[in-house]
Amino acid sequence: MIRQYLSRFMTGRYGMDQLNLFLMVTYLVLYLVFFLTGLWVLDMIVLVLLLVVLFRMLSRDIYRRQAENTRFLQIVRPIQHKFRTFRTRMKDREHRYFKCPSCGQQMRVPRGKGRITVHCRSCGATFEEKS
Ligand SMILES: [Zn+2]
């Protein structure tokens, strides 16, 4: 009964996406901080966040909401990518990572081989690097 009503209610409405998920996680984190610190500003921010999430979920302007989500993903993906490469590098103890001094291309060499001559595959520059 409630489920049917809910599914009819949500028909034609936008629902969830990555941006809303992000806002909800932010909401939970800020709510926790508010709970621990009692900062009243957070209480207001949290309320606004919740309203934005509800507004977006129940919105019938699906095209606009999708555009917002796309913009959000465009901002977030490079950050996600940087974070991932950073993590891989932290785990990878076998290689040393650096940028080509002439073109900025990312490169890696095996660690612990002393001073080695590196040849950039991207621009063809040759230079010395500590490994
Ligand atoms: Zn290069």
Side-chain angles (χ1 to χ4, degrees):
M1 198 49 189
I2 293 168
R3 207 193 241 166
Q4 271 176 347
Y5 171 76
L6 256 178
S7 80
R8 203 176 311 150
F9 179 73
M10 286 307 289
T11 307
R13 296 182 194 262
Y14 185 60
M16 276 304 275
D17 63 1
Q18 289 96 329
L19 176 54
N20 264 354
L21 196 70
F22 172 76
L23 292 174
M24 279 172 87
V25 172
T26 314
Y27 166 82
L28 287 174
V29 170
L30 287 182
Y31 194 84
L32 188 72
V33 177
F34 167 66
F35 186 75
L36 294 172
T37 62
L39 274 173
W40 64 272
V41 194
L42 288 176
D43 197 19
M44 306 247 303
I45 297 170
V46 154
L47 183 70
V48 172
L49 273 175
L50 192 66
L51 289 175
V52 171
V53 170
L54 280 175
F55 167 78
R56 292 194 73 249
M57 275 179 83
L58 302 179
S59 171
R60 292 183 189 278
D61 196 346
I62 289 166
Y63 180 76
R64 265 229 170 114
R65 301 290 88 79
Q66 271 170 349
E68 286 165 4
N69 194 47
T70 311
R71 234 176 302 151
F72 167 71
L73 290 178
Q74 276 168 355
I75 298 167
V76 159
R77 278 207 180 115
I79 301 169
Q80 239 175 3
H81 179 75
K82 268 199 182 132
F83 182 72
R84 264 190 217 133
T85 27
F86 178 73
R87 217 172 39 182
T88 342
R89 277 179 202 189
M90 289 304 287
K91 276 189 196 158
D92 186 2
R93 304 274 93 203
E94 326 258 282
H95 297 92
R96 219 179 77 78
Y97 291 81
F98 56 91
K99 271 183 184 167
C100 167
S102 89
C103 73
Q105 171 72 30
Q106 286 289 346
M107 313 177 79
R108 59 168 212 191
V109 291
R111 264 178 199 279
K113 304 261 186 226
R115 284 203 83 80
I116 51 169
T117 309
V118 186
H119 186 76
C120 175
R121 253 175 279 167
S122 172
C123 70
T126 308
F127 53 96
E128 272 208 349
E129 190 68 37
K130 219 170 71 186
S131 68

